[in-house]
Amino acid sequence: MRDLEVPTYSMAERDRRWDLARGFMEREGLDALLVFGEHEDAGPAPFAYDTWFTNGRAGTTIVFPRDGEPVALFPMEMFTKDHLESTRRGDVIWIPPRSIRASRDSRAIGECLSELGLGRARIGVVGLEVHPPWHPEGIVPHRLWNNVLDEFPAVEFTPVGMALLRLIMPLGSEEIAVVRHSASIGDAMVRAMVETAAAGVSESVVYAAGMAAGYARGTIPAAMHFWSGPNPLASGLPQWGYRPQAPRVLQDGDIISAEVFSHFGARHTQHQATITIGEPHEDLRRAAEVARAAYDAGLQALRPGRTFGDVVDAMRKPLIAADGWEFGPCLHALNPMIAVSGFPADASRQMAGAEAYPPEADHRTLSGDIELRPGMSFALEPNYVFGRHLAYIGGTVVIGEDAPIELNPYTAQILRARGGSPAVSR
């Protein structure tokens, strides 16, 4: 693994991004951008657009004047210590010490805006708008924002998050190399799980094998979603991750349904793994055939010039035509995740016991009008259920100049566990 070539970002990539941001401000009539970033331990789908400007730790706030360099407001002194040590080691550092501030509270934001002469400016804000899936009202703290508004009554603050994030969806060549590397790590994580899983093995051992494969390849992946059992119909962290209870021990006839998140260089890939312990149930095979048909339809539709909504419609045709039901979204954008396919919420009412829970509204497709362009990345994750048997397959795809670049065909199928003796593996 030490011999693998690890892609990095250059100062040319920094300049490409900063030029995009300056061009955006010019077109939108903005004097500056104010970008809020989420804490670095946020897990999958973090709101971390500060890192797009800094190539640094997530959890900062960025002030980027149109006619200057971005300023990074750090949350605590440890960020400064890490920045200094990275500089000493010769890492490629995008933000120099002169452009760093030691706090990111409302007082620090106010001081920075005043210092940069932005007291009567028009400022675009990233962090105020709805952002799926975790932030239905944005991420900016209420008291902080009220303090900023009170201090700067002459500033016109305008939400620009969705417009800016659409702009950065087409990845540059260096970013695509990083996404490819992330995808290779995600495949290695799933392969480690396949090689470990067997009847008699604790699911926590399988989970650990997958996460360890990510760590060993030089990244810190977000905690994967993982359920096991003869017919699990769920998606999320394993129950022993948040509730005091023992992990399940896998049995013959079980499946593992996992959503593996690889995260390398602030770029994300996703890998939907359905792993069978023994022979798969016939309903699972049938569900996988429907899911695969949707996957192939998605591959055919992911072409420049089409819209995200076009691809969703193409993928849902085989799902609608079959006589089972769709478990969750079949497609969403990555890097950033601002477009998500819809699915009918009432389908899950077929689950025994669902009548005890409040009904949900249908989940509409978000950002269906986005035009596909080369360099955009997507999680292609079709899923389907017959009875209680869920097939969830797929991986990451990048839009190419003519055809999609399929990075993870390995997980676009049902996988068969290959773990060894339970006495050894437990």
Side-chain angles (χ1 to χ4, degrees):
M1 286 183 289
R2 290 195 207 119
D3 296 332
L4 290 176
E5 184 176 350
V6 177
T8 60
Y9 289 142
S10 67
M11 297 301 279
E13 173 61 17
R14 184 202 72 170
D15 294 344
R16 183 189 74 85
R17 296 184 187 185
W18 290 9
D19 286 346
L20 278 174
R22 291 188 181 104
F24 175 80
M25 287 185 271
E26 183 69 33
R27 290 191 301 274
E28 298 293 324
L30 302 172
D31 299 299
L33 293 172
L34 176 58
V35 181
F36 291 88
E38 189 172 23
H39 190 273
E40 61 190 348
D41 296 331
F47 193 98
Y49 303 111
D50 54 318
T51 66
W52 189 82
F53 296 89
T54 67
N55 193 30
R57 286 179 70 174
T60 64
T61 298
I62 305 301
V63 180
F64 193 165
R66 186 177 65 201
D67 299 321
E69 294 186 349
V71 176
L73 283 64
F74 283 0
M76 59 181 178
E77 64 177 13
M78 286 300 175
F79 275 57
T80 302
K81 291 181 172 66
D82 290 359
H83 189 278
L84 175 58
E85 182 65 15
S86 295
T87 301
R88 189 187 67 81
R89 293 184 180 195
D91 293 350
V92 177
I93 302 297
W94 288 8
I95 304 292
R98 66 176 180 273
S99 297
I100 290 171
R101 304 295 179 266
S103 174
R104 68 169 189 158
D105 59 12
S106 59
R107 177 194 55 78
I109 292 172
E111 290 177 354
C112 186
L113 295 181
S114 296
E115 173 192 341
L116 296 173
L118 297 171
R120 305 186 68 85
R122 186 169 188 264
I123 299 176
V125 184
V126 178
L128 292 175
E129 295 163 277
V130 172
H131 194 278
W134 311 126
H135 304 294
E137 308 291 345
I139 72 159
V140 182
H142 175 78
R143 189 169 76 172
L144 179 150
W145 194 237
N146 274 350
N147 289 342
V148 171
L149 293 177
D150 287 345
E151 185 174 353
F152 293 95
V155 172
E156 180 186 350
F157 293 103
T158 182
V160 298
M162 290 302 292
L164 179 65
L165 301 185
R166 286 184 179 219
L167 176 71
I168 71 176
M169 280 185 73
L171 306 176
S173 58
E174 292 186 18
E175 290 181 297
I176 291 174
V178 168
V179 169
R180 283 184 177 275
H181 190 72
S182 179
S184 71
I185 293 172
D187 267 354
M189 293 171 69
V190 176
R191 290 181 188 276
M193 295 162 65
V194 168
E195 294 298 326
T196 304
V201 176
S202 170
E203 62 180 7
S204 62
V205 172
V206 180
Y207 192 101
M211 297 299 287
Y215 298 142
R217 285 161 177 79
T219 193
I220 302 176
M224 72 177 78
H225 294 176
F226 184 109
W227 278 74
S228 74
N231 48 17
L233 284 176
S235 178
L237 296 175
Q239 309 95 297
W240 43 265
Y242 53 84
R243 185 181 297 136
Q245 64 185 62
R248 288 187 71 255
V249 174
L250 299 174
Q251 302 176 28
D252 189 51
D254 277 358
I255 73 161
I256 293 169
S257 183
E259 189 168 17
V260 177
F261 307 105
S262 183
H263 173 110
F264 176 77
R267 287 294 168 263
H268 308 270
T269 55
Q270 288 190 203
H271 313 259
Q272 302 299 141
T274 298
I275 304 170
T276 67
I277 317 298
E279 288 295 325
H281 191 280
E282 179 58 29
D283 281 348
L284 181 62
R285 292 182 188 272
R286 293 172 57 220
E289 289 175 359
V290 176
R292 180 66 205 208
Y295 181 89
D296 290 338
L299 282 181
Q300 289 299 315
L302 282 166
R303 297 292 194 278
R306 304 194 71 175
T307 68
F308 179 78
D310 291 337
V311 185
V312 174
D313 291 344
M315 292 186 68
R316 297 208 64 229
K317 283 181 180 178
L319 302 177
I320 293 170
D323 58 351
W325 53 281
E326 189 178 356
F327 180 77
C330 61
L331 176 73
H332 65 76
L334 290 167
N335 307 307
M337 189 181 140
I338 60 171
V340 183
S341 67
F343 64 98
D346 64 351
S348 62
R349 308 299 292 179
Q350 300 180 47
M351 296 173 59
E355 67 279 359
Y357 293 84
E360 298 179 25
D362 281 352
H363 303 282
R364 63 183 180 85
T365 294
L366 301 180
S367 302
D369 65 322
I370 288 178
E371 182 179 343
L372 303 185
R373 295 170 56 192
M376 291 181 172
S377 53
F378 297 90
L380 196 57
E381 51 179 36
N383 53 86
Y384 208 69
V385 181
F386 281 115
R388 283 194 53 89
H389 295 274
L390 165 66
Y392 218 145
I393 64 172
T396 300
V397 177
V398 175
I399 304 293
E401 293 293 337
D402 301 308
I405 304 167
E406 186 184 13
L407 298 183
N408 306 109
Y410 176 62
T411 48
Q413 60 185 326
I414 291 179
L415 303 170
R416 180 75 175 269
R418 298 178 58 186
S421 166
V424 175
S425 304
R426 184 172 300 173

